[in-house]
Amino acid sequence: MVTDRATSVVVLGDRSTAEETVRRLRADLDAQAGRAMPARLAAVVRAATRQDADRVGSMVLDPVLPLVGDRDLVVVPTGLLLTTPWHALPACASRPVTVAPSVGVWLAARRRLNASRPAAESAAVTVVAGPGIPRGEAEARAVASLHRGAVVLTGPEATPAAALAAMAGARLAHIAAHGQHQTENPLFSTLELAGGPLMGYDVQELRTAPRTVVLSCCDLGLTDVRHGDEALGMPTALLAAGTATVVASVSRVADEAATEIMVAYHRAVVAGRPPAAALAEAVRGNQPSSFVCFGAG
């Protein structure tokens, strides 16, 4: 489906081959995340990343790119293609890309985003930094400085209960924390905060979900697929709770790269960019990025 501003693409074809290549591409990105490697090994990993990114792009995007042109993309992938690091693909390196588990979820998120826009402009921004991340508090302060009146929770104040209370009804919630995706039960995926974890189940209990949630964490953009192609994970839990847009990573992220991308993202949002365009602008010029914009972009 092509419109004047965006393209919605349903990815079909040989899914098993594409999914295996996506797994390899995510592993390539994991290997580069904050690790110091010998120069020759680093060059080999970078070459593998480019090769796998090219292969994913040729399988899932090349057939439709002549129709898409330079338009923004709305991608509705099947299966584990939902975990593709789209901005690592050459055709999407600087293109606004929005990913949704279904067309229905995308349309519902778009309606929520548009309906909440006037009221959300006066709502608070919540910024949370969990323990054990060297850059966490500095990133939280840098992000909060871009949003007037932001609520900041760091150190012992950043508990799951306090974070949930501050997130309820927020225009935007940014969380920098250690994240862990749970394959066996994705709704037990966790954000490590002071005093304990915040789980996917917890966010579904929010009275009023934040309009936008940014997860500056490793892996929490991942989802698992159940019978009937149902996707489960932290992004889908937030979207089901009523959030319109989730920005999260589908692989590990180096601390410095995460902070640089996140601050650039918020700077673009404050300048008036929509979420997907802000993310595309933030990752431009960086090494291949695994951050993805889910829901409505």
Side-chain angles (χ1 to χ4, degrees):
M1 177 179 70
V2 180
T3 70
D4 290 340
R5 296 186 60 252
T7 302
S8 179
V9 182
V10 179
V11 181
L12 302 173
D14 187 352
R15 195 173 94 180
S16 60
T17 302
E19 286 182 350
E20 182 55 38
T21 309
V22 167
R23 288 191 185 95
R24 287 203 305 270
L25 177 55
R26 292 205 318 265
D28 297 338
L29 295 173
D30 283 347
Q32 297 176 74
R35 290 194 175 98
M37 292 183 284
R40 290 180 63 184
L41 177 58
V44 169
V45 174
R46 286 194 298 269
T49 303
R50 290 193 297 271
Q51 183 178 18
D52 288 332
D54 288 344
R55 190 176 182 197
V56 173
S58 69
M59 285 189 285
V60 301
L61 286 181
D62 281 3
V64 298
L65 283 179
L67 299 175
V68 173
D70 61 355
R71 296 180 178 91
D72 299 357
L73 277 178
V74 176
V75 187
V76 181
T78 57
L80 291 181
L81 294 183
L82 192 65
T83 65
T84 301
W86 295 96
H87 284 296
L89 309 187
C92 299
S94 59
R95 184 196 301 264
V97 180
T98 304
V99 179
S102 71
V103 174
V105 169
W106 175 67
L107 288 171
R110 290 269 297 179
R111 284 194 290 267
R112 287 197 298 268
L113 187 66
N114 293 330
S116 67
R117 196 179 305 275
E121 296 311 318
S122 61
V125 170
T126 298
V127 184
V128 181
I133 299 184
R135 50 94 184 179
E137 185 164 348
E139 178 179 309
R141 301 292 178 190
V143 168
S145 70
L146 298 170
H147 298 278
R148 182 179 302 175
V151 176
V152 182
L153 298 174
T154 63
E157 295 180 344
T159 64
L164 284 171
M167 289 168 63
R171 176 170 85 251
L172 186 154
H174 177 103
I175 304 178
H178 285 303
Q180 185 173 5
H181 175 71
Q182 296 288 349
T183 302
E184 293 300 318
N185 190 334
L187 292 181
F188 281 121
S189 297
T190 57
L191 289 156
E192 295 301 326
L193 299 181
L198 176 65
M199 296 187 294
Y201 278 118
D202 296 324
V203 301
Q204 292 191 317
E205 300 302 316
L206 283 168
R207 183 179 68 257
T208 306
R211 186 176 69 166
T212 299
V213 176
V214 180
L215 300 176
S216 182
C217 320
C218 295
D219 295 336
L220 281 189
L222 291 176
T223 57
D224 285 282
V225 179
R226 296 297 189 254
H227 296 296
D229 241 11
E230 180 185 12
L232 292 175
M234 189 66 80
T236 55
L238 284 161
L239 292 172
T243 294
T245 305
V246 180
V247 174
S249 175
V250 295
S251 75
R252 294 174 184 166
V253 187
D255 281 355
E256 289 185 6
T259 297
E260 182 178 346
I261 291 171
M262 291 292 92
V263 173
Y265 170 82
H266 284 276
R267 191 174 290 120
V269 166
V270 170
R273 308 286 194 278
L279 184 60
E281 187 172 313
V283 303
R284 190 176 297 137
N286 281 282
Q287 63 183 7
S289 171
S290 57
F291 282 101
V292 177
C293 179
F294 296 97

